[in-house]
Amino acid sequence: MSSSSAAAEQHRHHAVGGRELVPLAALIKEESRTERHAVTRSRICAREDGGVGGEVGEAETRRPLLRYGCAAQSKKGEDFFLLRTDCARPSTSSSSSTTSHPPTFAVFAVLDGHNGDAAAIYTRDNLLNHVLSAMPQGLSREEWLHSLPRALVAGFVKTDKEFQTKGQTSGTTATFAIIDGWTITVASVGDSRCILDAQGGAVSLLTVDHRLEENVEERERVTASGGEVGRLSVVGGAEIGPLRCWPGGLCLSRSIGDIDVGEFIVPVPYVKQVKLSNTGGRLIIASDGIWDALSSDAAAKCCRGLPAELAAKQIVKEALKTRGLKDDTTCVVVDIIPPDQTIRPLSPPKKMNKLKSLIFRKKAKDQPNKLTKQLSSVGMVEEIFEEGSAILSERLGNDSGSRRTSSSLFTCAICQADLQPSEGTSVHVGSVFSSSSKPWEGPFLCSDCRDKKDAMEGKRPSGVKVL
């Protein structure tokens, strides 16, 4: 493949298709041939062997180098992923005058569809644009990063709202990571997990699994909003399988799509934003085909010391070895590397004798509130933002202290539709969940988005017919 065609290929979205498993020995042999040339490449290189890998460098020496890989095995053909490293961040006039290159950021996402692939494909193709359309214009980089969590909420809800108008019953998880310099912002609904393996071996969760079986708070929210939670009943009255939401029988409490389930299954994402030290780290984003087989620690440990592309393949291999191919299995690995290095210098942990291991080993914990501000032996991971509420009035906040222009005063905070002064309704009006006592404050919603908000909070029937 020529360099121009490889560069063009990297802009395409990639769907996971069924491929034959390749022995690890063959992968290592092939990797050893290609890895010698990988350091000199500055754009993505798409390959046809079941994995995708690439390398991106920034002209600014302060920004890290990104190297990434993806591997997958298909069972139903409903997993999809997104790899983009050339997303342009709108810059202020002052910043654009000091550099000839517009600032960029990278996006990596995994989408695990169910009941068909339509929702996953639509989300892959539209979510990023919807997030960017919710961002105010003319922001500095710091303001842009500060606005990202709110824009991600708006983008997820808009994607869900627009897909549901198509009348298709498909749904999808979405784990969406934005990397801008050393700052990582992850938004997620469903159970496609993202973990951070920082230098020094500290493994942190950047997402929350929205599974009814395991998330008590989500079960309480769904039932309070009008849904029923229970197991599948079979002949004789016995209950089998995981907890599900009825109508629809979905095991998740948050997703995009799923019009046949009801709007108490919400698209409002859990969002976490962290900043790495300049020692870097590794992101692992994967569908539940990985996490049903491997713990977060096991996934991180099994690929330490390997380059990103081979690491993704190793994680998939370990998951298949543990559980077999029972579901679509997709893994994206992203190494965030200091600019003066060409590979991530993370070797497998040193062996300890049994006594030391009993004294110093820490039990793995997968609750995000237990994994904040992890201090490794090399550097600190700084937590900037974390919020998981499903209530829009809490997630969209107040406009009183935010940066805005007169043209955006009457714009729907979710779909960005222009509103007349008499049309917009504050997101805080009538919300028992809102801490605001000023209903004249924004952000504002159009009538359609207001109806969706009310349905998600259980204040009106969703009007969804069970098919």
Side-chain angles (χ1 to χ4, degrees):
M1 180 180 293
S2 67
S3 59
S4 60
S5 61
E9 183 70 17
Q10 73 97 2
H11 294 290
R12 298 177 188 170
H13 296 126
H14 300 268
V16 175
R19 294 185 176 91
E20 295 294 328
L21 284 172
V22 180
L24 180 60
L27 293 177
I28 294 174
K29 183 177 180 180
E30 179 184 2
E31 188 69 20
S32 64
R33 292 199 307 268
T34 60
E35 193 65 26
R36 288 193 296 269
H37 306 286
V39 175
T40 60
R41 293 180 298 185
S42 60
R43 309 302 294 172
I44 233 178
C45 176
R47 297 171 55 189
E48 303 298 331
D49 60 357
V52 177
E55 178 179 338
V56 171
E58 294 288 344
E60 302 176 29
T61 57
R62 296 187 302 274
R63 297 175 69 84
L65 179 73
L66 299 183
R67 298 194 65 192
Y68 50 90
C70 180
Q73 288 293 321
S74 177
K75 178 74 171 179
K76 297 177 290 185
E78 294 174 339
D79 270 14
F80 293 81
F81 59 88
L82 177 64
L83 312 173
R84 288 196 59 182
T85 58
D86 60 344
C87 304
R89 170 168 49 82
S91 59
T92 61
S93 57
S94 59
S95 63
S96 61
S97 63
T98 60
T99 177
S100 58
H101 302 284
T104 61
F105 61 93
V107 175
F108 301 91
V110 168
L111 309 112
D112 181 0
H114 47 264
N115 200 16
D117 60 8
I121 293 173
Y122 184 86
T123 302
R124 178 199 63 185
D125 293 346
N126 293 278
L127 178 55
L128 176 58
N129 288 336
H130 291 166
V131 171
L132 294 180
S133 69
M135 293 290 289
Q137 299 299 308
L139 301 181
S140 66
R141 178 177 180 272
E142 290 73 20
E143 292 170 328
W144 192 85
L145 289 171
H146 180 75
S147 299
L148 254 185
R150 175 171 155 173
L152 283 161
V153 171
F156 270 66
V157 177
K158 182 179 180 180
T159 301
D160 175 79
K161 176 173 174 282
E162 290 193 352
F163 178 73
Q164 288 192 350
T165 64
K166 299 180 179 298
Q168 301 187 59
T169 57
S170 174
T172 187
T173 72
T175 298
F176 197 78
I178 294 178
I179 303 176
D180 188 333
W182 300 102
T183 302
I184 305 168
T185 310
V186 181
S188 63
V189 292
D191 56 1
S192 295
R193 192 181 303 169
C194 177
I195 66 172
L196 170 64
D197 187 12
Q199 289 288 351
V203 179
S204 305
L205 271 177
L206 300 186
T207 55
V208 166
D209 291 347
H210 294 127
R211 284 187 172 181
L212 291 167
E213 182 72 34
E214 302 159 3
N215 196 316
V216 177
E217 291 183 0
E218 286 294 281
R219 290 203 298 270
E220 293 174 348
R221 180 190 62 77
V222 168
T223 54
S225 299
E228 295 183 10
V229 176
R231 305 185 193 279
L232 181 65
S233 296
V234 296
V235 178
E239 296 184 341
I240 61 173
L243 288 175
R244 301 174 184 271
C245 178
W246 306 97
L250 189 65
C251 299
L252 305 175
S253 60
R254 304 195 194 190
S255 68
I256 291 175
D258 291 308
I259 193 173
D260 58 328
V261 176
E263 294 200 60
F264 33 78
I265 303 300
V266 300
V268 182
Y270 171 90
V271 179
K272 189 163 187 174
Q273 188 176 75
V274 298
K275 185 175 182 180
L276 298 182
S277 70
N278 57 11
T279 58
R282 165 173 283 178
L283 284 185
I284 301 174
I285 312 169
S287 62
D288 64 344
I290 296 293
W291 307 119
D292 286 343
L294 301 176
S295 68
S296 298
D297 278 341
K301 289 177 181 178
C302 77
C303 64
R304 285 180 181 154
L306 297 177
E309 184 175 356
L310 194 55
K313 295 174 183 176
Q314 177 67 15
I315 292 171
V316 171
K317 176 180 178 290
E318 288 294 320
L320 295 180
K321 184 173 67 175
T322 301
R323 190 169 179 262
L325 186 59
K326 298 182 182 297
D327 195 1
D328 292 336
T329 303
T330 302
C331 180
V332 174
V333 174
V334 185
D335 285 341
I336 303 160
I337 305 170
D340 56 344
Q341 297 176 2
T342 57
I343 60 173
R344 183 173 183 241
L346 183 61
S347 58
K350 295 180 180 179
K351 292 183 179 180
M352 294 187 294
N353 62 44
K354 291 183 178 180
L355 178 60
K356 279 189 176 182
S357 66
L358 289 173
I359 296 174
F360 294 104
R361 183 178 57 196
K362 294 184 179 180
K363 294 182 179 179
K365 295 189 181 294
D366 281 347
Q367 293 299 323
N369 59 343
K370 302 292 186 182
L371 290 167
T372 57
K373 298 185 178 179
Q374 292 282 2
L375 178 62
S376 73
S377 60
V378 183
M380 177 80 76
V381 177
E382 176 188 356
E383 180 182 323
I384 300 173
F385 178 90
E386 179 182 19
E387 181 58 70
S389 171
I391 308 304
L392 278 181
S393 57
E394 294 181 358
R395 302 303 298 278
L396 296 179
N398 296 324
D399 268 347
S400 58
S402 63
R403 180 177 180 138
R404 59 187 182 181
T405 63
S406 59
S407 62
S408 66
L409 279 172
F410 300 102
T411 300
C412 177
I414 293 175
C415 69
Q416 285 76 57
D418 291 331
L419 303 172
Q420 295 298 320
S422 59
E423 291 178 336
T425 304
S426 172
V427 71
H428 305 289
V429 170
S431 177
V432 297
F433 305 102
S434 175
S435 59
S436 173
S437 59
K438 301 176 181 178
W440 57 86
E441 284 187 345
F444 298 96
L445 303 179
C446 66
S447 58
D448 286 346
C449 290
R450 172 70 187 188
D451 287 344
K452 183 169 183 64
K453 170 184 175 293
D454 288 345
M456 289 192 300
E457 294 178 2
K459 288 185 286 187
R460 71 163 180 82
S462 64
V464 173
K465 296 181 180 180
V466 181
L467 302 178

